[in-house]
Amino acid sequence: MASLFAQEIRLSKRHEDIVSQRLMLLQQMGNKLGDQNKEKTPQMQTAETALQRNLSLLKDIEAAEKSLQTQNHPVPPPEVASLETLYWASVEEYIPKWEQFLLGRAPYPIGVENPNEAEDTIQKEVQQ
């Protein structure tokens, strides 16, 4: 019985040692975490400053790009804009007719002047 009591005392002391060591390790870990947070604060401030600088630079670059575009490409007169709109509408109208031909899946589109035929017609007229 005395040996069990002595073993219980040893285990109790061992438990106290483990608990005190755990407490000490938790305190060290907390201190280390606090130190890391202190180190991160200047890094976070530096990163935030860099982010603000980069955003400012991007805005400046976009403003300069926009300025250069307006200087190099002034707004065309309404007549030119109208012609451009009509041109692209015509292109979009003819795309379906030409698409299969250009992919090699269909013959030359009917209703669209064949440039080779036009050249042949001009050559025949010149010969006569």
Side-chain angles (χ1 to χ4, degrees), residues 2-29:
S3 68
L4 289 176
F5 184 69
Q7 187 178 6
E8 183 71 26
I9 291 174
R10 277 196 319 266
L11 288 175
S12 178
K13 285 183 182 180
R14 179 72 177 139
H15 180 267
E16 288 177 18
D17 291 342
I18 291 173
V19 168
S20 65
Q21 187 179 12
R22 179 181 178 270
L23 181 61
M24 185 179 67
L25 289 172
L26 285 173
Q27 288 174 345
Q28 288 176 355
M29 192 170 72

Side-chain angles (χ1 to χ4, degrees), residues 44-75:
M44 294 290 284
Q45 290 173 346
T46 304
E48 184 65 31
T49 304
L51 177 65
Q52 294 301 322
R53 184 197 65 228
N54 290 347
L55 290 174
S56 175
L57 288 172
L58 273 175
K59 286 180 184 177
D60 292 344
I61 290 170
E62 288 171 356
E65 183 179 352
K66 192 172 188 178
S67 173
L68 287 172
Q69 285 177 348
T70 56
Q71 289 175 2
N72 291 337
H73 302 288
V75 177

